[in-house]
Amino acid sequence: MSTENAPTSSSPSGSNITEAEAFLAKYPDVEAIDIILTDFHGIGRGKTIRRHELLSIYKSGRGLPSSIFGQDVTGEDVDDCGLVQTGGGGDCRCWPVPGTLGYLPHTGRGQLLISMYNEDGSAHDVDPRNVFVEQVKRAGTLGFAPMGAFELEFYLVNSQADATGMYHPATYALTKRRSKLRNTMSVDEIDEMSPLFDAVYEGAKHLDLTLETLISEYGPGQYEMTIRYRDLLRAADDVIIAKRLIRTCARRFGMEAVFMPKPFGDEAGSGMHLHLSLADENGNNLFADQADGSLSPLMLNAIGGIRSTIGETMLLLAPFMNSWRRFASAMYSPASDDWGVENRTVALRVPGTPGKTRHFEHRIAGVDANPYLVAAVTLGAALDGIEGKIDPGKPCEDEIGQAKAPNDLPRHWLDAIDQFGASDFNKRTLGSRFHTAFTKIKQAEYEHMALKVSAAEWEYYGFSI
């Protein structure tokens, strides 16, 4: 079950000062700790505190401005989102997320996730993690414990751009060689990057983060890491922790880890696949196959609920302009509402392995998406489907490259913003204030990006029309 239900002290998050005391005893040489609040965009905002300040956060929290949630991806305020300079612009109280205090050996600093609360101890309603917690609580009232894991795809590039301003796949950490080839699923590719990934795995040991399979993915310099399946709330925390771990390790090897979903237009995009199931109070998988080998009706209803909301939630699954470049080709990046068994052309894939571990995989989200928000709408829609006994329809059996997206799904970023803003499901699942603010922030971001003229436009149109 979630650590949200752990025994509480005076902390509304359920954190306990014994966690901080144990950390300070285990790491006597640590002098600084990064405290991280995750904003709408999945970006960590916060402070670096000194060692002597850690216990006070567990005792009385730490003030941060709630206007952090009213910023665009660059940190600029979006004035009409309703979250900037409200209530006199004072701070709200942030408290530790239980179980997330850890050590990053390559930085020499500690790290702690925090979440925002009001002064009366109630959860701040636009903190993305709190938005997701509401759906976890809803699942609990129905007798379900959400379980899951995310897969992360990303590129490693050299930290310096070339003379034209372009970035390129990183030189290998071991040999200092650079390959422009795909090297898909090459174990030698991983070996040549092994000093970096050894540092990542070592860091994970200090963060209660179980990183598992590593592969060299489809694009040059692209990799995928999987994270152990567990309580879905902690699985979403794992994404925030893992991305920062990978990013900070890469910098120390003269590289940048790129979680933009389509950094190279003619190469594969990077997704963030979510694997999901529901367990009962004893940990039994409720999506397990029936005695006759057929798929669980509960799982099928959950898939039906998600299918009915994918169009409305695409802005959370593909939140930025670059996100939509992944869908230029349907190959392995489905922008659709279909489902199927062991079929990678579909949005909702049921892996072919039968039995007690059965679950499904939501394949649309890019690696740039906020995991708390992806999980919130996925779980919320699944619960709607279960409560409404929604039929998922027939599974898709299209071959790779044949899948077609339905006409009612958004086909571009602005359409996704409009559908998100008009959605009663999003307003109900995410909360009215969050829904309004997110819509306004994305509208402002779209308008800002629409004014940016690219080098390609100059090349194609500047002197020929």
Side-chain angles (χ1 to χ4, degrees), residues 132-246:
F132 177 38
V133 167
E134 288 303 306
Q135 293 305 310
V136 174
K137 290 179 177 177
R138 178 187 170 200
T141 64
L142 296 172
F144 305 136
M147 306 295 292
F150 291 83
E151 299 173 359
L152 298 181
E153 297 173 342
F154 58 95
Y155 279 85
L156 292 173
V157 303
N158 288 332
S159 58
Q160 300 297 319
D162 66 17
T164 67
M166 297 299 292
Y167 290 86
H168 298 282
T171 54
Y172 295 127
L174 185 63
T175 62
K176 309 305 178 186
R177 190 174 67 85
R178 180 164 67 90
S179 173
K180 297 181 180 180
L181 305 178
R182 295 190 189 281
N183 294 319
T184 307
M185 299 195 76
S186 166
V187 291
D188 282 337
E189 174 96 355
I190 296 172
D191 180 59
E192 293 208 67
M193 245 346 150
S194 59
L196 166 59
F197 288 117
D198 288 346
V200 170
Y201 282 112
E202 178 61 27
K205 294 177 184 178
H206 298 265
L207 296 166
D208 187 25
L209 177 68
T210 305
L211 298 176
E212 297 189 325
T213 305
L214 169 68
I215 66 171
S216 136
E217 257 290 352
Y218 196 68
Q222 187 186 34
Y223 300 87
E224 178 186 90
M225 298 192 85
T226 60
I227 310 175
R228 178 169 292 179
Y229 206 90
R230 58 166 147 183
D231 158 18
L232 187 59
L233 181 55
R234 182 52 204 253
D237 292 334
D238 285 346
V239 174
I240 302 299
I241 294 169
K243 287 175 73 171
R244 189 161 193 269
L245 171 62
I246 295 166

Side-chain angles (χ1 to χ4, degrees), residues 419-454:
Q419 287 199 34
F420 178 89
S423 168
D424 289 334
F425 168 80
N426 287 328
K427 185 180 295 185
R428 170 169 50 84
T429 304
L430 304 169
S432 179
R433 275 216 317 160
F434 181 97
H435 176 253
T436 297
F438 195 85
T439 304
K440 292 289 187 181
I441 288 170
K442 287 299 167 181
Q443 287 171 341
E445 186 180 342
Y446 171 82
E447 291 165 5
H448 179 80
M449 293 301 292
L451 299 177
K452 297 288 186 181
V453 180
S454 69

Side-chain angles (χ1 to χ4, degrees), residues 334-378:
S336 65
D337 68 354
D338 47 16
W339 77 281
V341 178
E342 201 51 67
N343 186 336
R344 283 183 166 81
T345 72
V346 299
L348 301 168
R349 168 181 168 257
V350 178
T353 305
K356 295 182 179 180
T357 62
R358 184 75 79 180
H359 64 282
F360 66 85
E361 174 190 19
H362 194 314
R363 296 175 52 78
I364 298 180
V367 75
D368 56 337
N370 185 321
Y372 298 126
L373 301 180
V374 172
V377 294
T378 302

